[in-house]
Amino acid sequence: MTTATTGTAAAKAGGNAGKPKPATMAQALQRAMRDAMAEDPTVHVMGEDVGTLGGVFRVTDGLAKEFGEDRCTDTPLAEAGILGAAVGMAMYGLRPVVEMQFDAFAYPAFEQLLSHVAKMRNRTRGAMPMPIVIRVPYGGGIGGVEHHSDSSEAYYMATPGLHVVTPATVEDAYGLLRAAIASDDPVVFLEPKRLYWSKSDWSPEAPAAVEPIGKAVVRRKGTGATLITYGPSVPVCLEAAEAAQAEGWDLEVVDLRSLVPFDDETVCASVRRTGRAVVVHESTGFGGPGAEIAARVTERCFHHLEAPVLRVAGFDIPYPPPMLERHHLPGVDRVLDAVARLQWEAGS
Amino acid sequence: MDSLQQRSSTVQEPPGAVTAHRHTPSPAWQPRTDPAPLLPETEPLRVLGTDAVADADPALLLRLYAELIRGRRYNAQATALTKQGRLAVYPSTTGQEACEIAAALALEERDWLFPSYRDTLAAVARGLDPVQALTLLRGDWHTGYDPHEHRIAPLCTPLATQLPHAVGLAHAARLKGDDVVALAMVGDGGTSEGDFHEALNFAAVWQAPVVFFVQNNGFAISVPLAKQTAAPSLAHKAVGYGMPGRLVDGNDAVAVHQVLTEAVARARRGGGPTLVEAVTYRIDAHTNADDATRYRADGEVEAWRAHDPILLLERELTERGLLDEDGRRAAAEAAETMAAELRERMNADPVLDPMEIFSHVYAEQTTQLREQAAQLRAELEAEGEA
């Protein structure tokens, strides 16, 4: 990707939405920050390259120009320092929104995240909340070299004190980010980078209402089995559900949107209706998010299940080189294979 | 700025060039900052026992003395409480009281202190209730006070991670137009951590009103400074960040107070951060779990006892006729009263509500936590009935 062309493209598409035209997820995210910054002077955006460049994915494009470098700040290149400084800023009443350029680049900041961001409210018995949003472009599928395609959500999910959310649609990108910035608790905001350029007719001029964090949504109604998924795997599951119709399978697709807190109610209501479930994500399977989700569903819906809860996940390998990533990422066929293993003849 | 890029372009010979190896002149390079004014003193600054002490305010000297006596007694009492099992652990600052007290007294009320786990004494000198300062070490709650009340961040157990917090807070205060300074305390071991580097770098780039205060007490648990760093001094590290480094005798309360007061004032007027290294010594072991005889000689400890911060100040006060036997007794009695009260209050068992462990994880409890809270409540009720 050449920065010049992407920059120009983003500049053309963003900002002035005079004529209604499809908006991208990146534009919706940018709009969410812009609206939050305009409404609340305590909201500060910071990170490496977020200012003049507008972020390597142009998600923060124009914010420094509009709000000044004190509100949208290019920091030194140091993730622990970025997040550690954000902790101090939150202590003084600001609401920092920090960008961790790429998933695997966030790891140096883990000590600040785990030891302070996640625990400060608890350590101080509620006296010091941490209203920080940590934006992390995550996941593969864009041909990135190593350390640019990790799905780190299991680490974040395993840390009490953090909220973990991830949008799959342009509308949710706006709504969830607004909700995350408004939250008095820290939110790890996972942005599926291969969906940055996905589009919808969402209008930046009339943004949808902000929904509270923690609600899953049924993206497709079905009766035969539930695909439980989130983020970059949502479009995969929707496509699989369409293809499954040819096999006579009517699949429901639940988009979690929020991994923490987890919406047991929506997920389990769906599984009880359908009696079968497959969890789909591109993160690794062993000890991954699907392990927790499958266990929760089994504990709560065992007597409604016609088959074991299956997982379709990335392989348990370090993220593969870009030329091989299509073999690792769960695609439509792998989802359909799992659905086929749900012992259809035994149940319905 | 661009010199690296330009320089690298000059090493490529133009294609087809057959002339003898001939460099084009390299673009002019200048250091970004003159390093000379940033360099620390050649040896730790001392005021006590020198002519400079004549300028010291007698009221300040007496205040420092009373606080040092109280601090020494606090260290002794808290150490005794660990032996009685009332404290899980206590990292003593015996021998380092001058650093702790001078740090607290160098700040204005509106300023913030970012202490490490060893800096209970600085927090108490800043006005924190002595019992609240021990909450973490007692195992009661992680932080026993509202940090906003005295502007003292939670005592920080991971090393150096509180330093970027100090930078962020000071930066935020300046953005809001408040002339607040943050004082961040760290030990010599903590200077090896990555967060130390990142905090100093951020502070210098942002010109944040922060003072970094290193108490070099000789050891990180058992590891001596020589195995911690190859720098000429810890204060020398400042030059690499573009901030001044100051080197001070950490057992000279007046010198520490002077250097920190200057650094705080400099930060407050927009002059940016300073790194201060106080050279001191940890007379006690790291904690009650440590055996200091395994890694240091008695002779070394004795030499530092002769350079005791209370001794140095007492000598000065006595020579100037500011302190007599009555004054000594009054300070000792005040310290004893504090210790007796601390003992008495610490001997009462804290009353804890187990259900509170669920209360502060999130602003609003998640469904999952509500379920777990219900489980614990049922267990507690069953215990009560048994």
Side-chain angles (χ1 to χ4, degrees), chain A residues 180-200:
Chain A
I181 295 171
S183 170
D184 285 333
D185 284 320
V187 180
V188 177
F189 194 89
L190 298 167
E191 300 175 359
K193 63 172 90 74
R194 71 170 135 130
L195 299 185
Y196 270 145
W197 304 280
S198 63
K199 289 180 179 168
S200 94

Side-chain angles (χ1 to χ4, degrees), chain A residues 300-334:
Chain A
R300 285 163 178 76
C301 309
F302 183 74
H303 296 292
H304 299 265
L305 286 172
E306 304 284 347
V309 180
L310 299 181
R311 285 171 288 165
V312 177
F315 294 128
D316 298 327
I317 55 170
Y319 198 85
M323 294 174 88
L324 297 174
E325 67 179 350
R326 68 187 179 87
H327 299 293
H328 167 75
L329 294 172
V332 170
D333 288 347
R334 208 171 280 163

Side-chain angles (χ1 to χ4, degrees), chain A residues 81 92 112 116 125 162 185 262, chain B residues 161 165 178 195 198 356 363:
Chain A
Y92 208 78
Q112 284 295 340
H116 295 300
R125 295 171 89 168
L162 300 178
D185 284 320
F262 189 84
Chain B
T161 54
H165 304 171
D178 301 340
D195 278 37
E198 296 192 19
E356 201 188 346

Side-chain angles (χ1 to χ4, degrees), chain A residues 44 70 78 80-82 84-85 88-89 91-92 111-112 116 121-123 125 161-163 185 262 264 296 300, chain B residues 112 141 143 146-148 155-156 158 161 164-165 168-169 172-173 175-176 178 195 198 202 356 360 362-363 368 371:
Chain A
H44 284 244
D70 283 346
I82 294 169
M89 290 164 75
M91 284 178 169
Y92 208 78
E111 185 180 18
Q112 284 295 340
H116 295 300
R121 172 188 288 281
N122 194 63
R123 292 168 77 202
R125 295 171 89 168
L162 300 178
H163 290 304
D185 284 320
F262 189 84
D264 288 300
R296 300 187 77 81
R300 285 163 178 76
Chain B
W112 273 77
W141 259 89
T143 303
D146 179 346
H148 296 284
L155 296 171
C156 191
T161 54
H165 304 171
L169 181 135
L175 290 179
K176 283 193 176 183
D178 301 340
D195 278 37
E198 296 192 19
F202 269 66
E356 201 188 346
H360 315 296
Y362 297 102
Q368 289 81 34
E371 286 171 8

Side-chain angles (χ1 to χ4, degrees), chain B residues 257-293:
Chain B
H257 187 266
Q258 186 184 310
V259 169
L260 281 179
T261 303
E262 280 168 13
V264 167
R266 184 173 173 276
R268 203 184 307 284
R269 65 172 181 263
T274 305
L275 171 63
V276 180
E277 175 189 359
V279 181
T280 183
Y281 196 79
R282 193 189 71 210
I283 294 293
D284 288 343
H286 167 62
T287 68
N288 51 315
D290 172 35
D291 177 7
T293 63

